[in-house]
Amino acid sequence: MLRISLTAITCIIFIISIFFLLRSRRKYAITGFKTLLTPICFYMIGILGAIGLWTHSFGLFLWILIVSFLLLAAYFTKYLPKIHHQN
């Protein structure tokens, strides 16, 4: 029951966050693939966590993948655009 609840919550949060990501990209006219690399890495961390939950495989390989995606997300932040909010 807990796995189903956590997976459902994760899916709902993914859908909401993708909606807000696309809306903010459209609002600030952000284009290009490099600006999507950081969010993609964070989404992959969530997907790997859900896969590990369902397959009971929170082993060394999964942790190496998660840490790798975390480091890649940190590296690709240099491609994120600087957005100046207007008051």
Side-chain angles (χ1 to χ4, degrees):
M1 181 68 183
L2 181 65
R3 284 190 296 171
I4 295 171
S5 300
L6 289 175
T7 305
I9 291 169
T10 302
C11 289
I12 291 169
I13 290 172
F14 274 3
I15 291 169
I16 292 170
S17 67
I18 289 172
F19 170 74
F20 280 111
L21 174 70
L22 294 176
R23 189 177 78 172
S24 67
R25 286 178 60 87
R26 196 174 311 121
K27 179 180 177 183
Y28 295 110
I30 300 170
T31 58
F33 182 71
K34 287 184 179 181
T35 58
L36 277 175
L37 291 174
T38 296
I40 288 172
C41 289
F42 283 128
Y43 290 138
M44 288 303 297
I45 291 170
I47 290 169
L48 286 174
I51 290 172
L53 181 68
W54 279 95
T55 60
H56 301 291
S57 61
F58 276 109
L60 181 64
F61 180 69
L62 185 66
W63 279 102
I64 288 172
L65 282 175
I66 288 173
V67 169
S68 299
F69 277 118
L70 186 62
L71 292 173
L72 283 172
Y75 175 75
F76 290 130
T77 56
K78 69 180 184 180
Y79 296 116
L80 291 177
K82 295 186 179 17
I83 297 174
H84 301 286
H85 296 282
Q86 297 173 357
N87 292 332

